[in-house]
Amino acid sequence: QHTAKTTIDGTFGRLIQKMDKELDNWDWYNKRIFEIYRDTPLSIRGMAKETGISFVNIFHTLKKGKQIMRDKFNEDYEDYLNQDFNQI
């Protein structure tokens, strides 16, 4: 059975896959910092405490990474929000 929720979930999954592909192009440090922040409950301060990397360094790494993702995928995300699923 194909439902609207299935379409939404599938489209969101495609968007995440595109973002993961982009992450694969990043150097290991930036990729790992972004993944830890995205995939764990750790805050930036928590990451700094756990890794010994400075809060400021993590903050700037994430800021740069988020901007890259925003620049590349903002239009796709807006299409998702507007339910223009065929545009993604």
Coordinates of all heavy atoms in Angstrom, one line a residue:
Q1 N 0.8 -1.2 0.0 CA 0.0 0.0 0.0 C 0.9 1.2 0.0 O 1.8 1.4 0.8 CB -0.9 0.0 1.2 CG -1.8 1.2 1.3 CD -2.7 1.1 2.5 OE1 -2.5 0.4 3.4 NE2 -3.7 2.0 2.5
H2 N 0.6 2.1 -0.9 CA 1.4 3.4 -1.1 C 0.6 4.5 -0.4 O -0.5 4.9 -0.9 CB 1.6 3.6 -2.5 CG 2.6 4.7 -2.8 ND1 3.8 4.8 -2.2 CD2 2.6 5.8 -3.7 CE1 4.5 5.9 -2.6 NE2 3.7 6.5 -3.5
T3 N 1.2 5.0 0.6 CA 0.5 6.1 1.3 C 1.3 7.4 1.2 O 2.5 7.4 0.8 CB 0.3 5.8 2.8 OG1 1.6 5.7 3.4 CG2 -0.4 4.5 3.0
A4 N 0.7 8.5 1.6 CA 1.4 9.8 1.6 C 2.6 9.7 2.6 O 3.6 10.2 2.3 CB 0.4 10.9 2.1
K5 N 2.4 9.0 3.7 CA 3.5 8.9 4.7 C 4.7 8.1 4.1 O 5.8 8.5 4.2 CB 3.0 8.2 6.0 CG 4.1 8.1 7.0 CD 3.6 7.7 8.3 CE 4.6 7.5 9.4 NZ 6.0 7.9 9.2
T6 N 4.4 7.1 3.3 CA 5.4 6.3 2.6 C 6.2 7.2 1.7 O 7.4 7.2 1.6 CB 4.8 5.1 1.9 OG1 4.1 4.4 2.8 CG2 5.9 4.3 1.2
T7 N 5.5 8.1 0.9 CA 6.1 9.0 0.0 C 7.0 10.0 0.7 O 8.1 10.2 0.3 CB 5.0 9.7 -0.8 OG1 4.2 8.8 -1.5 CG2 5.7 10.7 -1.8
I8 N 6.5 10.5 1.8 CA 7.2 11.5 2.6 C 8.5 10.8 3.2 O 9.6 11.4 3.1 CB 6.3 12.1 3.7 CG1 5.3 13.0 3.1 CG2 7.2 12.9 4.7 CD1 4.2 13.5 4.1
D9 N 8.3 9.7 3.8 CA 9.5 9.0 4.4 C 10.5 8.6 3.3 O 11.7 8.8 3.5 CB 9.0 7.7 5.1 CG 8.2 8.0 6.4 OD1 8.2 9.2 6.8 OD2 7.6 7.1 6.9
G10 N 10.0 8.1 2.1 CA 10.9 7.8 1.1 C 11.7 9.0 0.5 O 12.9 8.9 0.2
T11 N 11.0 10.1 0.4 CA 11.6 11.3 -0.1 C 12.6 11.8 0.9 O 13.7 12.3 0.5 CB 10.5 12.4 -0.4 OG1 9.6 11.8 -1.3 CG2 11.1 13.6 -1.0
F12 N 12.3 11.8 2.1 CA 13.2 12.3 3.2 C 14.5 11.4 3.2 O 15.6 11.9 3.3 CB 12.5 12.3 4.6 CG 13.4 12.9 5.6 CD1 13.5 14.3 5.6 CD2 14.0 12.2 6.6 CE1 14.3 15.0 6.6 CE2 14.8 12.8 7.5 CZ 14.9 14.2 7.5
G13 N 14.2 10.1 3.0 CA 15.4 9.2 2.9 C 16.3 9.5 1.7 O 17.5 9.4 1.8
R14 N 15.7 9.8 0.6 CA 16.5 10.2 -0.6 C 17.3 11.5 -0.3 O 18.5 11.6 -0.7 CB 15.6 10.4 -1.8 CG 15.2 9.2 -2.5 CD 14.7 9.4 -3.9 NE 13.9 10.5 -4.2 CZ 12.6 10.6 -4.1 NH1 11.9 9.5 -3.8 NH2 11.9 11.7 -4.4
L15 N 16.7 12.4 0.4 CA 17.4 13.6 0.7 C 18.6 13.3 1.7 O 19.7 13.8 1.4 CB 16.4 14.6 1.4 CG 17.0 16.0 1.8 CD1 17.7 16.7 0.6 CD2 15.9 16.8 2.4
I16 N 18.4 12.5 2.6 CA 19.4 12.1 3.6 C 20.6 11.4 2.8 O 21.7 11.6 3.0 CB 18.9 11.2 4.7 CG1 17.9 12.0 5.6 CG2 20.0 10.6 5.5 CD1 18.5 13.2 6.2
Q17 N 20.2 10.5 1.9 CA 21.2 9.8 1.1 C 22.1 10.8 0.3 O 23.3 10.6 0.1 CB 20.5 8.8 0.1 CG 20.0 7.5 0.8 CD 19.3 6.6 -0.2 OE1 18.8 7.0 -1.2 NE2 19.2 5.3 0.2
K18 N 21.4 11.8 -0.3 CA 22.2 12.8 -1.1 C 23.1 13.5 -0.1 O 24.3 13.8 -0.5 CB 21.2 13.8 -1.7 CG 20.5 13.2 -2.9 CD 19.4 14.1 -3.4 CE 19.9 15.2 -4.4 NZ 18.8 15.9 -5.1
M19 N 22.7 13.8 1.1 CA 23.5 14.5 2.0 C 24.7 13.6 2.5 O 25.8 14.1 2.6 CB 22.7 15.0 3.2 CG 21.7 16.1 2.8 SD 20.6 16.6 4.2 CE 21.7 17.7 5.0
D20 N 24.4 12.3 2.7 CA 25.5 11.4 3.0 C 26.5 11.3 1.9 O 27.7 11.1 2.2 CB 24.9 10.0 3.4 CG 24.3 10.0 4.8 OD1 24.5 10.9 5.6 OD2 23.5 9.0 5.0
K21 N 26.1 11.3 0.7 CA 27.0 11.2 -0.5 C 27.9 12.5 -0.4 O 29.1 12.4 -0.7 CB 26.2 11.2 -1.8 CG 26.3 9.9 -2.5 CD 25.7 10.0 -3.9 CE 25.6 8.7 -4.5 NZ 24.9 8.6 -5.7
E22 N 27.4 13.6 -0.1 CA 28.2 14.8 0.0 C 29.2 14.7 1.1 O 30.3 15.0 0.9 CB 27.3 16.0 0.2 CG 28.0 17.3 0.6 CD 29.0 17.8 -0.4 OE1 28.8 17.5 -1.6 OE2 29.9 18.5 0.0
L23 N 28.7 14.1 2.2 CA 29.7 13.9 3.4 C 30.8 13.0 3.0 O 32.0 13.2 3.5 CB 28.9 13.2 4.5 CG 28.4 14.1 5.7 CD1 27.7 13.2 6.7 CD2 29.5 14.9 6.3
D24 N 30.6 12.1 2.1 CA 31.7 11.2 1.7 C 32.8 11.9 0.9 O 33.9 11.4 0.8 CB 31.1 10.1 0.8 CG 30.4 9.0 1.6 OD1 30.6 8.9 2.8 OD2 29.6 8.3 1.0
N25 N 32.5 13.1 0.4 CA 33.5 13.9 -0.2 C 34.4 14.8 0.7 O 35.3 15.4 0.3 CB 32.9 14.8 -1.3 CG 32.2 14.0 -2.4 OD1 32.8 13.0 -2.8 ND2 31.1 14.5 -2.8
W26 N 34.0 14.9 2.0 CA 34.7 15.7 2.9 C 35.9 15.0 3.5 O 35.9 13.7 3.5 CB 33.7 16.0 4.1 CG 32.6 16.9 3.8 CD1 32.1 17.3 2.5 CD2 31.7 17.5 4.7 NE1 31.0 18.1 2.6 CE2 30.7 18.2 3.9 CE3 31.6 17.5 6.0 CZ2 29.7 19.0 4.5 CZ3 30.5 18.3 6.6 CH2 29.6 19.0 5.8
D27 N 36.8 15.7 4.0 CA 38.0 15.1 4.6 C 37.5 14.4 5.9 O 36.5 14.7 6.5 CB 39.1 16.1 4.9 CG 38.7 17.1 6.0 OD1 39.0 16.8 7.1 OD2 38.2 18.2 5.6
W28 N 38.3 13.4 6.4 CA 37.9 12.6 7.5 C 37.5 13.4 8.7 O 36.6 13.1 9.4 CB 38.9 11.5 7.8 CG 40.2 12.1 8.4 CD1 41.3 12.5 7.8 CD2 40.4 12.3 9.8 NE1 42.2 12.9 8.7 CE2 41.7 12.8 9.9 CE3 39.6 12.0 11.0 CZ2 42.2 13.1 11.2 CZ3 40.2 12.4 12.2 CH2 41.5 12.9 12.3
Y29 N 38.3 14.4 9.0 CA 38.0 15.2 10.3 C 36.7 15.9 10.2 O 35.9 15.8 11.2 CB 39.2 16.2 10.5 CG 39.0 17.1 11.7 CD1 39.3 16.6 13.0 CD2 38.4 18.3 11.6 CE1 39.1 17.4 14.1 CE2 38.3 19.1 12.7 CZ 38.6 18.6 14.0 OH 38.4 19.4 15.1
N30 N 36.5 16.7 9.2 CA 35.2 17.4 9.1 C 34.0 16.5 9.0 O 33.0 16.7 9.6 CB 35.2 18.3 7.8 CG 36.2 19.5 8.0 OD1 36.4 20.0 9.1 ND2 36.8 19.8 6.9
K31 N 34.2 15.4 8.3 CA 33.1 14.4 8.2 C 32.8 13.8 9.6 O 31.6 13.7 10.0 CB 33.5 13.3 7.2 CG 32.5 12.2 7.1 CD 33.0 11.1 6.1 CE 32.0 10.0 6.0 NZ 32.4 8.9 5.1
R32 N 33.8 13.4 10.3 CA 33.6 12.7 11.6 C 33.0 13.7 12.6 O 32.1 13.3 13.3 CB 34.9 12.2 12.1 CG 34.8 11.3 13.2 CD 34.0 10.0 12.8 NE 33.8 9.2 13.9 CZ 32.5 8.7 14.3 NH1 31.5 8.9 13.5 NH2 32.4 8.0 15.4
I33 N 33.4 14.9 12.6 CA 32.8 15.9 13.5 C 31.4 16.1 13.2 O 30.5 16.1 14.1 CB 33.6 17.3 13.5 CG1 35.0 17.2 14.0 CG2 32.8 18.4 14.2 CD1 35.1 16.9 15.5
F34 N 31.0 16.3 11.9 CA 29.7 16.4 11.5 C 28.8 15.2 11.9 O 27.7 15.4 12.4 CB 29.6 16.7 10.0 CG 28.3 17.2 9.6 CD1 28.0 18.6 9.6 CD2 27.3 16.3 9.1 CE1 26.7 19.1 9.2 CE2 26.1 16.8 8.6 CZ 25.8 18.2 8.7
E35 N 29.3 14.0 11.7 CA 28.6 12.8 12.0 C 28.4 12.6 13.5 O 27.3 12.2 13.9 CB 29.3 11.5 11.4 CG 29.3 11.4 9.9 CD 30.1 10.3 9.4 OE1 31.1 9.9 10.1 OE2 29.8 9.8 8.3
I36 N 29.4 12.9 14.3 CA 29.2 12.8 15.7 C 28.1 13.7 16.2 O 27.2 13.3 17.0 CB 30.5 13.0 16.4 CG1 31.5 11.9 16.2 CG2 30.3 13.2 17.9 CD1 32.9 12.2 16.6
Y37 N 28.2 14.9 15.7 CA 27.2 15.9 16.1 C 25.8 15.5 15.6 O 24.8 15.6 16.4 CB 27.5 17.3 15.6 CG 26.6 18.4 16.1 CD1 26.7 18.8 17.4 CD2 25.7 19.0 15.3 CE1 25.9 19.9 17.9 CE2 24.9 20.0 15.8 CZ 25.0 20.4 17.1 OH 24.2 21.4 17.6
R38 N 25.7 15.0 14.4 CA 24.4 14.7 13.8 C 23.8 13.4 14.5 O 22.6 13.3 14.7 CB 24.5 14.5 12.3 CG 23.3 14.1 11.6 CD 23.5 13.7 10.2 NE 24.3 12.4 10.2 CZ 24.7 11.8 9.1 NH1 24.5 12.4 7.9 NH2 25.4 10.7 9.1
D39 N 24.7 12.4 14.7 CA 24.2 11.1 15.0 C 24.3 10.7 16.5 O 23.9 9.6 16.9 CB 25.1 10.0 14.3 CG 24.9 10.2 12.8 OD1 23.9 10.8 12.3 OD2 25.8 9.8 12.0
T40 N 24.8 11.6 17.4 CA 24.8 11.3 18.8 C 24.1 12.4 19.5 O 23.8 13.5 19.0 CB 26.3 11.2 19.3 OG1 26.8 12.5 19.3 CG2 27.1 10.3 18.5
P41 N 23.8 12.2 20.8 CA 23.1 13.2 21.6 C 24.1 14.3 22.1 O 23.7 15.2 22.8 CB 22.4 12.5 22.7 CG 23.3 11.2 22.9 CD 23.8 10.9 21.5
L42 N 25.4 14.2 21.8 CA 26.3 15.1 22.3 C 26.2 16.5 21.8 O 25.9 16.7 20.6 CB 27.8 14.6 22.0 CG 28.3 13.4 22.7 CD1 29.6 13.0 22.1 CD2 28.4 13.6 24.2
S43 N 26.3 17.5 22.7 CA 26.3 18.9 22.3 C 27.7 19.2 21.9 O 28.6 18.4 22.0 CB 25.9 19.7 23.5 OG 26.9 19.6 24.5
I44 N 27.9 20.4 21.4 CA 29.3 20.9 21.0 C 30.2 20.8 22.3 O 31.3 20.3 22.2 CB 29.3 22.3 20.4 CG1 28.5 22.3 19.1 CG2 30.7 22.8 20.2 CD1 28.4 23.6 18.5
R45 N 29.7 21.3 23.4 CA 30.5 21.2 24.6 C 30.8 19.7 25.0 O 31.9 19.4 25.5 CB 29.7 21.9 25.8 CG 29.7 23.4 25.6 CD 29.2 24.1 26.9 NE 28.9 25.5 26.6 CZ 29.7 26.5 26.4 NH1 31.0 26.2 26.5 NH2 29.3 27.7 26.2
G46 N 29.8 18.9 24.9 CA 30.0 17.5 25.2 C 31.0 16.8 24.3 O 31.8 16.0 24.7
M47 N 31.0 17.2 23.0 CA 32.0 16.7 22.0 C 33.3 17.1 22.4 O 34.3 16.4 22.4 CB 31.6 17.1 20.6 CG 30.4 16.5 20.0 SD 29.9 17.2 18.4 CE 31.4 16.8 17.4
A48 N 33.5 18.4 22.8 CA 34.8 19.0 23.2 C 35.3 18.2 24.4 O 36.5 17.8 24.5 CB 34.6 20.5 23.5
K49 N 34.4 18.0 25.4 CA 34.8 17.2 26.6 C 35.3 15.8 26.3 O 36.3 15.3 26.8 CB 33.7 17.2 27.6 CG 34.0 16.7 28.9 CD 32.9 16.8 29.9 CE 33.2 16.1 31.2 NZ 32.1 16.1 32.2
E50 N 34.5 15.1 25.4 CA 34.8 13.7 25.1 C 36.0 13.6 24.2 O 36.7 12.6 24.3 CB 33.6 13.1 24.4 CG 32.4 12.9 25.2 CD 32.5 11.7 26.2 OE1 33.2 10.7 25.9 OE2 32.1 11.9 27.3
T51 N 36.3 14.5 23.4 CA 37.4 14.4 22.4 C 38.6 15.1 22.7 O 39.7 14.8 22.2 CB 36.9 14.9 21.0 OG1 36.7 16.3 21.0 CG2 35.7 14.1 20.5
G52 N 38.5 16.2 23.6 CA 39.7 17.0 23.9 C 39.9 18.1 22.8 O 40.9 18.8 22.9
I53 N 39.0 18.1 21.8 CA 39.1 19.1 20.8 C 38.4 20.4 21.3 O 37.4 20.3 21.9 CB 38.4 18.7 19.5 CG1 39.1 17.4 18.9 CG2 38.4 19.7 18.4 CD1 38.4 16.7 17.9
S54 N 38.9 21.5 21.0 CA 38.4 22.8 21.6 C 37.0 23.0 21.1 O 36.6 22.7 19.9 CB 39.3 24.0 21.3 OG 39.1 24.4 19.9
F55 N 36.2 23.6 22.0 CA 34.8 24.0 21.6 C 34.8 24.9 20.4 O 34.0 24.7 19.5 CB 34.2 24.7 22.8 CG 32.9 25.4 22.6 CD1 31.7 24.7 22.8 CD2 32.8 26.7 22.1 CE1 30.5 25.3 22.5 CE2 31.6 27.3 21.8 CZ 30.4 26.6 22.0
V56 N 35.7 25.8 20.3 CA 35.7 26.8 19.2 C 36.0 26.1 17.9 O 35.4 26.4 16.9 CB 36.8 27.9 19.5 CG1 37.0 28.8 18.3 CG2 36.4 28.7 20.7
N57 N 36.9 25.1 17.9 CA 37.3 24.4 16.7 C 36.1 23.6 16.2 O 35.7 23.6 15.0 CB 38.5 23.5 17.0 CG 39.0 22.8 15.7 OD1 38.3 22.0 15.1 ND2 40.1 23.2 15.2
I58 N 35.4 22.9 17.1 CA 34.2 22.1 16.8 C 33.1 23.0 16.2 O 32.5 22.7 15.2 CB 33.7 21.3 18.0 CG1 34.8 20.2 18.3 CG2 32.4 20.6 17.7 CD1 34.5 19.4 19.6
F59 N 32.9 24.1 16.9 CA 31.9 25.1 16.5 C 32.1 25.6 15.1 O 31.2 25.5 14.2 CB 31.9 26.3 17.5 CG 30.9 27.4 17.0 CD1 29.6 27.3 17.3 CD2 31.4 28.5 16.3 CE1 28.7 28.3 16.8 CE2 30.6 29.5 15.9 CZ 29.2 29.4 16.1
H60 N 33.3 26.0 14.8 CA 33.6 26.5 13.4 C 33.6 25.4 12.4 O 33.1 25.6 11.2 CB 35.0 27.2 13.4 CG 34.9 28.5 14.1 ND1 34.2 29.6 13.6 CD2 35.4 29.0 15.2 CE1 34.3 30.6 14.4 NE2 35.0 30.3 15.4
T61 N 34.0 24.2 12.7 CA 33.9 23.0 11.8 C 32.5 22.8 11.5 O 32.1 22.6 10.3 CB 34.6 21.8 12.4 OG1 36.0 22.1 12.7 CG2 34.4 20.6 11.5
L62 N 31.6 22.8 12.5 CA 30.2 22.5 12.2 C 29.5 23.7 11.5 O 28.7 23.4 10.6 CB 29.4 22.3 13.6 CG 29.7 21.0 14.2 CD1 29.1 20.9 15.6 CD2 29.2 19.8 13.4
K63 N 29.9 24.9 11.8 CA 29.3 26.0 11.1 C 29.6 26.0 9.6 O 28.8 26.2 8.8 CB 29.9 27.3 11.7 CG 29.3 28.6 11.1 CD 29.9 29.8 11.8 CE 29.4 31.1 11.1 NZ 30.0 32.3 11.7
K64 N 30.9 25.6 9.3 CA 31.3 25.5 7.9 C 30.5 24.4 7.2 O 30.0 24.5 6.1 CB 32.8 25.3 7.8 CG 33.3 25.2 6.4 CD 34.9 25.1 6.4 CE 35.3 23.7 6.8 NZ 36.7 23.5 6.6
G65 N 30.5 23.2 7.9 CA 29.8 22.1 7.3 C 28.3 22.3 7.1 O 27.7 21.9 6.1
K66 N 27.6 22.9 8.1 CA 26.2 23.2 7.9 C 26.0 24.2 6.8 O 25.0 24.0 6.0 CB 25.7 23.9 9.2 CG 25.5 22.9 10.4 CD 25.0 23.7 11.6 CE 25.0 22.9 12.8 NZ 24.5 23.7 14.0
Q67 N 26.9 25.1 6.6 CA 26.7 26.1 5.5 C 26.9 25.4 4.1 O 26.1 25.6 3.2 CB 27.7 27.2 5.6 CG 27.4 28.3 4.6 CD 26.0 28.9 4.7 OE1 25.7 29.4 5.9 NE2 25.2 29.0 3.7
I68 N 27.8 24.4 4.0 CA 28.0 23.6 2.8 C 26.7 22.9 2.5 O 26.2 22.9 1.4 CB 29.2 22.7 2.9 CG1 30.5 23.5 2.9 CG2 29.1 21.6 1.8 CD1 31.7 22.6 3.3
M69 N 26.1 22.2 3.5 CA 24.9 21.4 3.4 C 23.7 22.4 3.0 O 22.9 22.0 2.1 CB 24.6 20.7 4.6 CG 25.5 19.5 4.9 SD 25.4 18.3 3.6 CE 26.3 16.9 4.4
R70 N 23.7 23.5 3.6 CA 22.6 24.5 3.3 C 22.7 24.9 1.9 O 21.7 24.9 1.2 CB 22.7 25.7 4.3 CG 21.4 26.2 4.7 CD 21.6 27.4 5.7 NE 21.7 26.8 7.1 CZ 22.8 27.0 7.9 NH1 23.8 27.7 7.5 NH2 22.8 26.4 9.1
D71 N 23.9 25.3 1.4 CA 24.1 25.7 0.1 C 23.7 24.7 -1.0 O 23.1 25.0 -2.0 CB 25.6 26.2 -0.1 CG 25.9 27.4 0.6 OD1 25.0 28.1 1.1 OD2 27.1 27.7 0.7
K72 N 24.1 23.4 -0.7 CA 23.8 22.4 -1.6 C 22.4 21.8 -1.6 O 21.9 21.3 -2.6 CB 24.8 21.2 -1.4 CG 26.2 21.6 -1.8 CD 27.1 20.5 -1.9 CE 28.5 21.0 -2.4 NZ 29.1 20.1 -3.3
F73 N 21.8 21.8 -0.4 CA 20.5 21.1 -0.3 C 19.3 21.9 0.2 O 18.3 21.4 0.4 CB 20.7 19.9 0.6 CG 21.8 18.9 0.1 CD1 23.0 18.9 0.7 CD2 21.5 18.1 -1.0 CE1 24.0 18.0 0.3 CE2 22.5 17.3 -1.4 CZ 23.7 17.2 -0.8
N74 N 19.5 23.2 0.3 CA 18.4 24.0 0.7 C 17.2 23.9 -0.2 O 16.0 23.8 0.2 CB 18.8 25.5 0.9 CG 17.7 26.3 1.6 OD1 17.3 25.9 2.7 ND2 17.4 27.4 1.0
E75 N 17.5 24.0 -1.5 CA 16.4 23.9 -2.5 C 15.6 22.5 -2.4 O 14.4 22.5 -2.4 CB 16.9 24.1 -3.9 CG 15.8 24.3 -4.9 CD 16.4 24.6 -6.3 OE1 17.4 25.3 -6.4 OE2 15.7 24.2 -7.3
D76 N 16.4 21.4 -2.3 CA 15.8 20.1 -2.1 C 14.9 20.1 -0.8 O 13.8 19.5 -0.8 CB 16.8 19.0 -2.0 CG 17.4 18.7 -3.4 OD1 16.8 19.1 -4.4 OD2 18.5 18.1 -3.4
Y77 N 15.4 20.7 0.3 CA 14.7 20.6 1.5 C 13.4 21.5 1.4 O 12.4 21.0 1.9 CB 15.6 21.2 2.7 CG 14.9 21.1 4.0 CD1 14.6 19.9 4.6 CD2 14.6 22.2 4.7 CE1 14.0 19.8 5.8 CE2 14.0 22.2 5.9 CZ 13.7 20.9 6.5 OH 13.0 20.9 7.7
E78 N 13.5 22.6 0.7 CA 12.3 23.4 0.5 C 11.3 22.6 -0.3 O 10.1 22.7 -0.1 CB 12.6 24.7 -0.1 CG 13.3 25.6 0.9 CD 13.3 27.1 0.6 OE1 12.5 27.5 -0.3 OE2 14.0 27.8 1.2
D79 N 11.8 21.9 -1.4 CA 10.9 21.0 -2.2 C 10.2 20.0 -1.3 O 9.0 19.7 -1.4 CB 11.6 20.4 -3.3 CG 12.0 21.3 -4.4 OD1 11.4 22.4 -4.5 OD2 13.0 21.0 -5.1
Y80 N 11.0 19.4 -0.4 CA 10.4 18.4 0.6 C 9.3 19.0 1.4 O 8.3 18.5 1.6 CB 11.6 17.9 1.4 CG 11.1 17.0 2.6 CD1 10.7 15.7 2.3 CD2 11.0 17.5 3.9 CE1 10.2 14.9 3.4 CE2 10.6 16.7 4.9 CZ 10.2 15.4 4.6 OH 9.7 14.6 5.7
L81 N 9.6 20.2 2.0 CA 8.6 20.9 2.9 C 7.4 21.2 2.1 O 6.3 21.1 2.6 CB 9.2 22.1 3.5 CG 10.3 21.9 4.5 CD1 10.8 23.3 5.0 CD2 9.8 21.1 5.7
N82 N 7.5 21.6 0.8 CA 6.4 21.9 -0.1 C 5.7 20.7 -0.7 O 4.8 20.8 -1.5 CB 6.8 22.9 -1.1 CG 7.2 24.2 -0.6 OD1 6.7 24.7 0.5 ND2 8.2 24.9 -1.2
Q83 N 6.2 19.5 -0.4 CA 5.8 18.3 -0.9 C 5.9 18.2 -2.4 O 5.1 17.5 -3.1 CB 4.4 18.0 -0.4 CG 4.3 17.8 1.1 CD 2.9 17.3 1.6 OE1 2.0 17.0 0.8 NE2 2.8 17.2 2.9
D84 N 6.9 18.8 -3.0 CA 7.3 18.7 -4.4 C 8.3 17.6 -4.5 O 9.4 17.8 -4.9 CB 7.9 20.0 -4.9 CG 6.9 21.2 -5.0 OD1 5.7 20.9 -5.1 OD2 7.3 22.3 -4.9
F85 N 7.8 16.4 -4.2 CA 8.7 15.2 -4.1 C 9.4 14.8 -5.4 O 10.5 14.3 -5.4 CB 7.9 14.0 -3.5 CG 7.3 14.3 -2.2 CD1 6.0 14.0 -1.9 CD2 8.0 14.9 -1.2 CE1 5.4 14.2 -0.7 CE2 7.4 15.2 0.1 CZ 6.1 14.8 0.3
N86 N 8.8 15.1 -6.5 CA 9.4 14.8 -7.8 C 10.6 15.7 -8.1 O 11.3 15.4 -9.0 CB 8.4 14.8 -8.9 CG 7.7 16.2 -9.1 OD1 7.6 16.9 -8.1 ND2 7.3 16.5 -10.3
Q87 N 10.8 16.8 -7.4 CA 11.9 17.7 -7.6 C 13.2 17.3 -6.9 O 14.2 17.8 -7.2 CB 11.5 19.1 -7.1 CG 10.3 19.7 -7.8 CD 10.5 20.0 -9.3 OE1 11.6 20.4 -9.6 NE2 9.5 19.7 -10.1
I88 N 13.0 16.3 -6.0 CA 14.2 15.9 -5.2 C 14.9 14.8 -5.8 O 14.3 13.8 -6.2 CB 13.8 15.6 -3.7 CG1 13.1 16.8 -3.1 CG2 14.9 15.0 -2.9 CD1 12.5 16.5 -1.7

